[in-house]
Structure formats: C-alpha cells, structure tokens
Amino acid sequence: MNLHLIQARANRLANRRLLAAVSQLSEAEFHAERTSFFPSLARTLNHLLNVDHYYLAALAGDTTMREVWARYVPARTAGELAARQDASDRRLITLCEPLTPADDERIVAFDRGAGIEAGPREPLARVLAHLFMHQTHHRGQAHAMLAGTAVKPPQLDDFILLGDRVHRGDDMAALGWQEPV
C-alpha cells in the first residue's frame, strides 16, 4: 500500500471539491477581504498553489525552486486557479505513484535563499507529510472563509477511508478512478 499515493489522490479530490465550490463565487467575492492569515480566498488559495510548485520543484530535484517560487503569477479567477491546482495535483500524484517505502528516507534538498548547498535537507516522507499538512491547513482556512458566503462549504474528508466510498463516488467517477478492491 502506497500511503503517499493515497494522500496525493485524496489531496486532489479535496482540492477539486473545494475549488468547485469556490468557483461558484463572483470574482469580487473570490478576492473579497476576509478573516484569515492570507485575508481572501484568492490570496490563500494562490499561496497554497505557489507552495505546491516550490515543493514539487524540490521533490523533483529542481535546483531553481526559488525562481519557481518568485515567478509565480497569482490566478485572477477561481476557475483559472482550479485548473492550475488540478495540474499541480496531477504532478504530485505522478511523483507519488512509483514510490516505495525504500524511498521514504531519500533526501530532498531545499534552497531557502542561501543556495541549495546551504539549504535544509529532509527525508522525502517528511517533506510529503509536511506538504499534505500544509494543503489541509490552508484548505481549512479557505473552507472557513467560504462559510461566510452564500456557497455551502463542501465536505473535504471523504477521500481516504474505505467506509467513506459512498460519499466520493461522483468525485471518483469524474476522474475515471476506481476504488481499490
């Protein structure tokens, strides 16, 4: 069982469901100031995607991860953001698909501003755990902000337990995915 792949797929499903709800908002509502660390849905969800790009670059061994971060152009609309997030989530799934437990200790190097040689090094399993936690954290913030609109926040935790499969059938079918037997 590849737990990283299970989490990457659950991440994509949760992002798709959340962004489908957010896409029902007007552009003004998407950008409206709200209570949060990044005080709008647009800023919170763009931050989430930019961090994903940075971590995906690091996980792929791309030493230009700082430039990837700096070049990020925020999405103006929720629809644009949803498409870009889905592409990022697909990249994460592709990265996780071939992983085995032997990969968990593979070292991932980061450039936090002083160059790749001086940056921190972390085991891949911890990097992925952090990335999934970061996603969950900011999706929670977006979920709370969405609660202050006319759009009902969607359920976001139906994607891991086998017993919850009844709640994700439409999501799985939309991606052409099958439940494990």
Side-chain angles (χ1 to χ4, degrees):
M1 180 180 310
N2 181 337
L3 293 177
H4 302 308
L5 180 58
I6 290 169
Q7 289 180 294
R9 289 178 68 162
N11 184 67
R12 183 178 183 202
L13 289 165
N15 281 333
R16 289 185 79 226
R17 196 179 273 184
L18 177 63
L19 289 166
V22 170
S23 292
Q24 296 174 47
L25 299 172
S26 69
E27 190 172 335
E29 290 173 303
F30 179 56
H31 289 277
E33 189 162 318
R34 302 177 190 283
T35 301
S36 189
F37 185 77
F38 297 100
S40 75
L41 283 159
R43 289 176 64 190
T44 299
L45 295 169
N46 272 294
H47 165 76
L48 191 63
L49 182 55
N50 195 11
V51 169
D52 282 1
H53 288 173
Y54 173 82
Y55 274 86
L56 283 167
L59 287 160
D62 182 351
T63 59
T64 68
M65 65 194 77
R66 295 280 300 172
E67 290 80 20
V68 168
W69 170 267
R71 285 192 313 261
Y72 183 80
V73 175
R76 290 288 312 147
T77 67
E80 176 192 354
L81 184 76
R84 289 169 58 187
Q85 183 65 62
D86 197 58
S88 180
D89 291 343
R90 287 192 319 269
R91 283 182 57 211
L92 182 57
I93 289 168
T94 298
L95 184 141
C96 290
E97 281 175 332
L99 296 177
T100 68
D103 294 305
D104 284 352
E105 295 303 318
R106 187 175 80 220
I107 298 301
V108 178
F110 289 91
D111 180 354
R112 299 276 194 208
I116 197 83
E117 301 79 19
R121 284 157 170 47
E122 298 283 348
L124 179 131
R126 288 181 179 269
V127 173
L128 287 172
H130 175 76
L131 182 57
F132 294 130
M133 184 178 288
H134 184 262
Q135 278 275 343
T136 301
H137 169 70
H138 286 298
R139 269 196 308 265
Q141 290 176 333
H143 194 268
M145 286 188 273
L146 192 58
T149 73
V151 176
K152 181 182 177 190
Q155 188 68 28
L156 297 177
D157 62 353
D158 292 332
F159 304 118
I160 293 180
L161 296 176
L162 294 174
D164 285 337
R165 70 179 61 183
V166 66
H167 302 295
R168 63 177 172 259
D170 292 342
D171 301 282
M172 297 286 287
L175 295 173
W177 290 354
Q178 300 293 318
E179 290 285 351
V181 180

PDB file of all heavy atoms in Angstrom, residues 142-172:
ATOM      1  N   ALA A 142      -9.611  28.221   3.884  1.00  0.00           N
ATOM      2  CA  ALA A 142     -10.500  28.573   2.766  1.00  0.00           C
ATOM      3  C   ALA A 142     -11.925  28.092   3.054  1.00  0.00           C
ATOM      4  O   ALA A 142     -12.895  28.795   2.755  1.00  0.00           O
ATOM      5  CB  ALA A 142      -9.966  27.969   1.466  1.00  0.00           C
ATOM      6  N   HIS A 143     -12.041  26.925   3.623  1.00  0.00           N
ATOM      7  CA  HIS A 143     -13.342  26.365   3.974  1.00  0.00           C
ATOM      8  C   HIS A 143     -14.070  27.294   4.941  1.00  0.00           C
ATOM      9  O   HIS A 143     -15.263  27.582   4.776  1.00  0.00           O
ATOM     10  CB  HIS A 143     -13.119  24.980   4.594  1.00  0.00           C
ATOM     11  CG  HIS A 143     -14.329  24.135   4.714  1.00  0.00           C
ATOM     12  ND1 HIS A 143     -15.117  24.128   5.849  1.00  0.00           N
ATOM     13  CD2 HIS A 143     -14.885  23.251   3.855  1.00  0.00           C
ATOM     14  CE1 HIS A 143     -16.098  23.267   5.680  1.00  0.00           C
ATOM     15  NE2 HIS A 143     -15.984  22.716   4.482  1.00  0.00           N
ATOM     16  N   ALA A 144     -13.341  27.785   5.943  1.00  0.00           N
ATOM     17  CA  ALA A 144     -13.939  28.709   6.914  1.00  0.00           C
ATOM     18  C   ALA A 144     -14.351  30.015   6.240  1.00  0.00           C
ATOM     19  O   ALA A 144     -15.424  30.559   6.537  1.00  0.00           O
ATOM     20  CB  ALA A 144     -12.960  28.978   8.051  1.00  0.00           C
ATOM     21  N   MET A 145     -13.521  30.527   5.339  1.00  0.00           N
ATOM     22  CA  MET A 145     -13.879  31.767   4.630  1.00  0.00           C
ATOM     23  C   MET A 145     -15.101  31.541   3.749  1.00  0.00           C
ATOM     24  O   MET A 145     -15.972  32.405   3.651  1.00  0.00           O
ATOM     25  CB  MET A 145     -12.703  32.267   3.802  1.00  0.00           C
ATOM     26  CG  MET A 145     -11.602  32.891   4.635  1.00  0.00           C
ATOM     27  SD  MET A 145     -10.329  33.681   3.614  1.00  0.00           S
ATOM     28  CE  MET A 145      -9.249  32.292   3.310  1.00  0.00           C
ATOM     29  N   LEU A 146     -15.171  30.376   3.114  1.00  0.00           N
ATOM     30  CA  LEU A 146     -16.308  30.066   2.248  1.00  0.00           C
ATOM     31  C   LEU A 146     -17.608  30.028   3.055  1.00  0.00           C
ATOM     32  O   LEU A 146     -18.671  30.395   2.545  1.00  0.00           O
ATOM     33  CB  LEU A 146     -16.063  28.727   1.545  1.00  0.00           C
ATOM     34  CG  LEU A 146     -16.990  28.350   0.400  1.00  0.00           C
ATOM     35  CD1 LEU A 146     -16.961  29.404  -0.703  1.00  0.00           C
ATOM     36  CD2 LEU A 146     -16.601  26.985  -0.154  1.00  0.00           C
ATOM     37  N   ALA A 147     -17.514  29.637   4.312  1.00  0.00           N
ATOM     38  CA  ALA A 147     -18.703  29.597   5.172  1.00  0.00           C
ATOM     39  C   ALA A 147     -19.329  30.976   5.349  1.00  0.00           C
ATOM     40  O   ALA A 147     -20.512  31.068   5.680  1.00  0.00           O
ATOM     41  CB  ALA A 147     -18.348  28.991   6.533  1.00  0.00           C
ATOM     42  N   GLY A 148     -18.572  32.030   5.108  1.00  0.00           N
ATOM     43  CA  GLY A 148     -19.090  33.387   5.207  1.00  0.00           C
ATOM     44  C   GLY A 148     -19.703  33.891   3.907  1.00  0.00           C
ATOM     45  O   GLY A 148     -19.942  35.084   3.767  1.00  0.00           O
ATOM     46  N   THR A 149     -19.948  32.988   2.966  1.00  0.00           N
ATOM     47  CA  THR A 149     -20.559  33.357   1.683  1.00  0.00           C
ATOM     48  C   THR A 149     -21.875  32.597   1.524  1.00  0.00           C
ATOM     49  O   THR A 149     -22.250  31.807   2.392  1.00  0.00           O
ATOM     50  CB  THR A 149     -19.631  32.986   0.493  1.00  0.00           C
ATOM     51  OG1 THR A 149     -19.629  31.565   0.323  1.00  0.00           O
ATOM     52  CG2 THR A 149     -18.212  33.506   0.710  1.00  0.00           C
ATOM     53  N   ALA A 150     -22.532  32.795   0.401  1.00  0.00           N
ATOM     54  CA  ALA A 150     -23.779  32.076   0.119  1.00  0.00           C
ATOM     55  C   ALA A 150     -23.520  30.643  -0.363  1.00  0.00           C
ATOM     56  O   ALA A 150     -24.459  29.863  -0.493  1.00  0.00           O
ATOM     57  CB  ALA A 150     -24.579  32.847  -0.931  1.00  0.00           C
ATOM     58  N   VAL A 151     -22.261  30.296  -0.619  1.00  0.00           N
ATOM     59  CA  VAL A 151     -21.919  28.961  -1.104  1.00  0.00           C
ATOM     60  C   VAL A 151     -21.624  28.052   0.088  1.00  0.00           C
ATOM     61  O   VAL A 151     -20.793  28.385   0.941  1.00  0.00           O
ATOM     62  CB  VAL A 151     -20.699  29.005  -2.057  1.00  0.00           C
ATOM     63  CG1 VAL A 151     -20.289  27.605  -2.484  1.00  0.00           C
ATOM     64  CG2 VAL A 151     -21.008  29.870  -3.275  1.00  0.00           C
ATOM     65  N   LYS A 152     -22.312  26.930   0.140  1.00  0.00           N
ATOM     66  CA  LYS A 152     -22.105  25.975   1.240  1.00  0.00           C
ATOM     67  C   LYS A 152     -20.732  25.321   1.107  1.00  0.00           C
ATOM     68  O   LYS A 152     -20.406  24.767   0.057  1.00  0.00           O
ATOM     69  CB  LYS A 152     -23.198  24.909   1.202  1.00  0.00           C
ATOM     70  CG  LYS A 152     -23.079  23.898   2.312  1.00  0.00           C
ATOM     71  CD  LYS A 152     -24.157  22.826   2.204  1.00  0.00           C
ATOM     72  CE  LYS A 152     -23.926  21.802   3.311  1.00  0.00           C
ATOM     73  NZ  LYS A 152     -24.765  20.630   3.140  1.00  0.00           N
ATOM     74  N   PRO A 153     -19.934  25.364   2.174  1.00  0.00           N
ATOM     75  CA  PRO A 153     -18.629  24.689   2.111  1.00  0.00           C
ATOM     76  C   PRO A 153     -18.814  23.174   1.962  1.00  0.00           C
ATOM     77  O   PRO A 153     -19.654  22.585   2.647  1.00  0.00           O
ATOM     78  CB  PRO A 153     -17.978  25.031   3.455  1.00  0.00           C
ATOM     79  CG  PRO A 153     -18.717  26.229   3.952  1.00  0.00           C
ATOM     80  CD  PRO A 153     -20.113  26.091   3.425  1.00  0.00           C
ATOM     81  N   PRO A 154     -18.050  22.556   1.091  1.00  0.00           N
ATOM     82  CA  PRO A 154     -18.207  21.118   0.866  1.00  0.00           C
ATOM     83  C   PRO A 154     -17.495  20.278   1.927  1.00  0.00           C
ATOM     84  O   PRO A 154     -16.588  20.750   2.612  1.00  0.00           O
ATOM     85  CB  PRO A 154     -17.546  20.915  -0.500  1.00  0.00           C
ATOM     86  CG  PRO A 154     -16.472  21.959  -0.522  1.00  0.00           C
ATOM     87  CD  PRO A 154     -17.055  23.151   0.193  1.00  0.00           C
ATOM     88  N   GLN A 155     -17.915  19.037   2.043  1.00  0.00           N
ATOM     89  CA  GLN A 155     -17.236  18.066   2.892  1.00  0.00           C
ATOM     90  C   GLN A 155     -15.895  17.740   2.234  1.00  0.00           C
ATOM     91  O   GLN A 155     -15.833  17.470   1.038  1.00  0.00           O
ATOM     92  CB  GLN A 155     -18.084  16.797   3.012  1.00  0.00           C
ATOM     93  CG  GLN A 155     -17.573  15.812   4.016  1.00  0.00           C
ATOM     94  CD  GLN A 155     -17.694  16.313   5.449  1.00  0.00           C
ATOM     95  OE1 GLN A 155     -18.565  17.108   5.773  1.00  0.00           O
ATOM     96  NE2 GLN A 155     -16.796  15.857   6.299  1.00  0.00           N
ATOM     97  N   LEU A 156     -14.808  17.781   3.020  1.00  0.00           N
ATOM     98  CA  LEU A 156     -13.476  17.602   2.429  1.00  0.00           C
ATOM     99  C   LEU A 156     -12.710  16.401   2.972  1.00  0.00           C
ATOM    100  O   LEU A 156     -11.549  16.214   2.626  1.00  0.00           O
ATOM    101  CB  LEU A 156     -12.641  18.874   2.648  1.00  0.00           C
ATOM    102  CG  LEU A 156     -13.164  20.141   1.989  1.00  0.00           C
ATOM    103  CD1 LEU A 156     -12.284  21.322   2.343  1.00  0.00           C
ATOM    104  CD2 LEU A 156     -13.269  19.961   0.488  1.00  0.00           C
ATOM    105  N   ASP A 157     -13.350  15.578   3.791  1.00  0.00           N
ATOM    106  CA  ASP A 157     -12.596  14.470   4.369  1.00  0.00           C
ATOM    107  C   ASP A 157     -13.192  13.097   4.050  1.00  0.00           C
ATOM    108  O   ASP A 157     -13.089  12.161   4.832  1.00  0.00           O
ATOM    109  CB  ASP A 157     -12.440  14.652   5.879  1.00  0.00           C
ATOM    110  CG  ASP A 157     -13.766  14.672   6.627  1.00  0.00           C
ATOM    111  OD1 ASP A 157     -14.824  14.670   5.980  1.00  0.00           O
ATOM    112  OD2 ASP A 157     -13.731  14.672   7.865  1.00  0.00           O
ATOM    113  N   ASP A 158     -13.761  12.961   2.880  1.00  0.00           N
ATOM    114  CA  ASP A 158     -14.372  11.698   2.449  1.00  0.00           C
ATOM    115  C   ASP A 158     -13.465  10.865   1.552  1.00  0.00           C
ATOM    116  O   ASP A 158     -13.947   9.971   0.862  1.00  0.00           O
ATOM    117  CB  ASP A 158     -15.646  11.978   1.632  1.00  0.00           C
ATOM    118  CG  ASP A 158     -16.767  12.575   2.456  1.00  0.00           C
ATOM    119  OD1 ASP A 158     -16.813  12.318   3.670  1.00  0.00           O
ATOM    120  OD2 ASP A 158     -17.597  13.282   1.868  1.00  0.00           O
ATOM    121  N   PHE A 159     -12.183  11.125   1.539  1.00  0.00           N
ATOM    122  CA  PHE A 159     -11.374  10.596   0.455  1.00  0.00           C
ATOM    123  C   PHE A 159     -10.331   9.550   0.832  1.00  0.00           C
ATOM    124  O   PHE A 159      -9.557   9.137  -0.021  1.00  0.00           O
ATOM    125  CB  PHE A 159     -10.685  11.759  -0.273  1.00  0.00           C
ATOM    126  CG  PHE A 159     -11.665  12.777  -0.781  1.00  0.00           C
ATOM    127  CD1 PHE A 159     -11.640  14.073  -0.319  1.00  0.00           C
ATOM    128  CD2 PHE A 159     -12.634  12.422  -1.700  1.00  0.00           C
ATOM    129  CE1 PHE A 159     -12.550  15.013  -0.783  1.00  0.00           C
ATOM    130  CE2 PHE A 159     -13.554  13.343  -2.165  1.00  0.00           C
ATOM    131  CZ  PHE A 159     -13.506  14.642  -1.705  1.00  0.00           C
ATOM    132  N   ILE A 160     -10.291   9.112   2.080  1.00  0.00           N
ATOM    133  CA  ILE A 160      -9.257   8.151   2.468  1.00  0.00           C
ATOM    134  C   ILE A 160      -9.857   6.836   2.964  1.00  0.00           C
ATOM    135  O   ILE A 160      -9.462   5.770   2.500  1.00  0.00           O
ATOM    136  CB  ILE A 160      -8.301   8.763   3.517  1.00  0.00           C
ATOM    137  CG1 ILE A 160      -7.504   9.902   2.862  1.00  0.00           C
ATOM    138  CG2 ILE A 160      -7.364   7.696   4.087  1.00  0.00           C
ATOM    139  CD1 ILE A 160      -6.524  10.598   3.772  1.00  0.00           C
ATOM    140  N   LEU A 161     -10.792   6.888   3.880  1.00  0.00           N
ATOM    141  CA  LEU A 161     -11.335   5.669   4.466  1.00  0.00           C
ATOM    142  C   LEU A 161     -12.211   4.915   3.468  1.00  0.00           C
ATOM    143  O   LEU A 161     -13.024   5.518   2.757  1.00  0.00           O
ATOM    144  CB  LEU A 161     -12.150   5.998   5.716  1.00  0.00           C
ATOM    145  CG  LEU A 161     -11.370   6.609   6.877  1.00  0.00           C
ATOM    146  CD1 LEU A 161     -12.309   6.969   8.009  1.00  0.00           C
ATOM    147  CD2 LEU A 161     -10.281   5.655   7.348  1.00  0.00           C
ATOM    148  N   LEU A 162     -12.035   3.598   3.427  1.00  0.00           N
ATOM    149  CA  LEU A 162     -12.844   2.781   2.525  1.00  0.00           C
ATOM    150  C   LEU A 162     -14.327   2.911   2.852  1.00  0.00           C
ATOM    151  O   LEU A 162     -15.169   2.922   1.955  1.00  0.00           O
ATOM    152  CB  LEU A 162     -12.399   1.316   2.596  1.00  0.00           C
ATOM    153  CG  LEU A 162     -10.994   1.032   2.079  1.00  0.00           C
ATOM    154  CD1 LEU A 162     -10.614  -0.423   2.329  1.00  0.00           C
ATOM    155  CD2 LEU A 162     -10.868   1.389   0.607  1.00  0.00           C
ATOM    156  N   GLY A 163     -14.656   3.067   4.125  1.00  0.00           N
ATOM    157  CA  GLY A 163     -16.050   3.195   4.537  1.00  0.00           C
ATOM    158  C   GLY A 163     -16.719   4.473   4.063  1.00  0.00           C
ATOM    159  O   GLY A 163     -17.941   4.578   4.106  1.00  0.00           O
ATOM    160  N   ASP A 164     -15.936   5.431   3.613  1.00  0.00           N
ATOM    161  CA  ASP A 164     -16.499   6.697   3.105  1.00  0.00           C
ATOM    162  C   ASP A 164     -16.713   6.675   1.602  1.00  0.00           C
ATOM    163  O   ASP A 164     -17.114   7.686   1.017  1.00  0.00           O
ATOM    164  CB  ASP A 164     -15.579   7.873   3.464  1.00  0.00           C
ATOM    165  CG  ASP A 164     -15.664   8.261   4.930  1.00  0.00           C
ATOM    166  OD1 ASP A 164     -16.695   7.964   5.561  1.00  0.00           O
ATOM    167  OD2 ASP A 164     -14.688   8.850   5.434  1.00  0.00           O
ATOM    168  N   ARG A 165     -16.470   5.537   0.964  1.00  0.00           N
ATOM    169  CA  ARG A 165     -16.550   5.491  -0.511  1.00  0.00           C
ATOM    170  C   ARG A 165     -17.902   5.934  -1.052  1.00  0.00           C
ATOM    171  O   ARG A 165     -17.963   6.488  -2.136  1.00  0.00           O
ATOM    172  CB  ARG A 165     -16.151   4.129  -1.035  1.00  0.00           C
ATOM    173  CG  ARG A 165     -17.127   3.026  -0.728  1.00  0.00           C
ATOM    174  CD  ARG A 165     -16.727   1.698  -1.279  1.00  0.00           C
ATOM    175  NE  ARG A 165     -15.461   1.325  -0.692  1.00  0.00           N
ATOM    176  CZ  ARG A 165     -14.779   0.240  -0.989  1.00  0.00           C
ATOM    177  NH1 ARG A 165     -15.251  -0.595  -1.857  1.00  0.00           N
ATOM    178  NH2 ARG A 165     -13.647  -0.032  -0.418  1.00  0.00           N
ATOM    179  N   VAL A 166     -18.961   5.724  -0.306  1.00  0.00           N
ATOM    180  CA  VAL A 166     -20.284   6.120  -0.761  1.00  0.00           C
ATOM    181  C   VAL A 166     -20.375   7.641  -0.959  1.00  0.00           C
ATOM    182  O   VAL A 166     -21.167   8.124  -1.761  1.00  0.00           O
ATOM    183  CB  VAL A 166     -21.379   5.605   0.214  1.00  0.00           C
ATOM    184  CG1 VAL A 166     -21.259   6.274   1.574  1.00  0.00           C
ATOM    185  CG2 VAL A 166     -22.755   5.816  -0.373  1.00  0.00           C
ATOM    186  N   HIS A 167     -19.542   8.379  -0.239  1.00  0.00           N
ATOM    187  CA  HIS A 167     -19.584   9.847  -0.298  1.00  0.00           C
ATOM    188  C   HIS A 167     -18.693  10.428  -1.400  1.00  0.00           C
ATOM    189  O   HIS A 167     -18.693  11.642  -1.596  1.00  0.00           O
ATOM    190  CB  HIS A 167     -19.159  10.445   1.046  1.00  0.00           C
ATOM    191  CG  HIS A 167     -19.999   9.983   2.185  1.00  0.00           C
ATOM    192  ND1 HIS A 167     -21.338  10.270   2.306  1.00  0.00           N
ATOM    193  CD2 HIS A 167     -19.686   9.209   3.259  1.00  0.00           C
ATOM    194  CE1 HIS A 167     -21.809   9.719   3.399  1.00  0.00           C
ATOM    195  NE2 HIS A 167     -20.833   9.063   3.992  1.00  0.00           N
ATOM    196  N   ARG A 168     -17.912   9.607  -2.064  1.00  0.00           N
ATOM    197  CA  ARG A 168     -16.986  10.129  -3.071  1.00  0.00           C
ATOM    198  C   ARG A 168     -17.177   9.515  -4.449  1.00  0.00           C
ATOM    199  O   ARG A 168     -16.356   9.737  -5.341  1.00  0.00           O
ATOM    200  CB  ARG A 168     -15.547   9.963  -2.603  1.00  0.00           C
ATOM    201  CG  ARG A 168     -15.115   8.520  -2.407  1.00  0.00           C
ATOM    202  CD  ARG A 168     -13.650   8.420  -2.012  1.00  0.00           C
ATOM    203  NE  ARG A 168     -13.305   7.068  -1.648  1.00  0.00           N
ATOM    204  CZ  ARG A 168     -13.186   6.607  -0.399  1.00  0.00           C
ATOM    205  NH1 ARG A 168     -13.364   7.422   0.620  1.00  0.00           N
ATOM    206  NH2 ARG A 168     -12.867   5.353  -0.175  1.00  0.00           N
ATOM    207  N   GLY A 169     -18.220   8.747  -4.629  1.00  0.00           N
ATOM    208  CA  GLY A 169     -18.443   8.058  -5.902  1.00  0.00           C
ATOM    209  C   GLY A 169     -18.433   8.991  -7.103  1.00  0.00           C
ATOM    210  O   GLY A 169     -17.781   8.709  -8.113  1.00  0.00           O
ATOM    211  N   ASP A 170     -19.148  10.111  -7.007  1.00  0.00           N
ATOM    212  CA  ASP A 170     -19.191  11.056  -8.131  1.00  0.00           C
ATOM    213  C   ASP A 170     -17.821  11.672  -8.395  1.00  0.00           C
ATOM    214  O   ASP A 170     -17.432  11.861  -9.552  1.00  0.00           O
ATOM    215  CB  ASP A 170     -20.213  12.164  -7.873  1.00  0.00           C
ATOM    216  CG  ASP A 170     -21.647  11.660  -7.875  1.00  0.00           C
ATOM    217  OD1 ASP A 170     -21.895  10.552  -8.397  1.00  0.00           O
ATOM    218  OD2 ASP A 170     -22.523  12.375  -7.343  1.00  0.00           O
ATOM    219  N   ASP A 171     -17.090  11.977  -7.323  1.00  0.00           N
ATOM    220  CA  ASP A 171     -15.747  12.558  -7.472  1.00  0.00           C
ATOM    221  C   ASP A 171     -14.819  11.563  -8.168  1.00  0.00           C
ATOM    222  O   ASP A 171     -14.056  11.937  -9.063  1.00  0.00           O
ATOM    223  CB  ASP A 171     -15.161  12.918  -6.101  1.00  0.00           C
ATOM    224  CG  ASP A 171     -16.010  13.912  -5.346  1.00  0.00           C
ATOM    225  OD1 ASP A 171     -15.937  15.109  -5.670  1.00  0.00           O
ATOM    226  OD2 ASP A 171     -16.754  13.492  -4.438  1.00  0.00           O
ATOM    227  N   MET A 172     -14.870  10.315  -7.742  1.00  0.00           N
ATOM    228  CA  MET A 172     -14.019   9.281  -8.333  1.00  0.00           C
ATOM    229  C   MET A 172     -14.390   9.057  -9.798  1.00  0.00           C
ATOM    230  O   MET A 172     -13.516   8.974 -10.660  1.00  0.00           O
ATOM    231  CB  MET A 172     -14.159   7.977  -7.542  1.00  0.00           C
ATOM    232  CG  MET A 172     -13.700   8.054  -6.102  1.00  0.00           C
ATOM    233  SD  MET A 172     -11.923   8.091  -5.902  1.00  0.00           S
ATOM    234  CE  MET A 172     -11.515   6.406  -6.278  1.00  0.00           C
TER     235      MET A 172
END
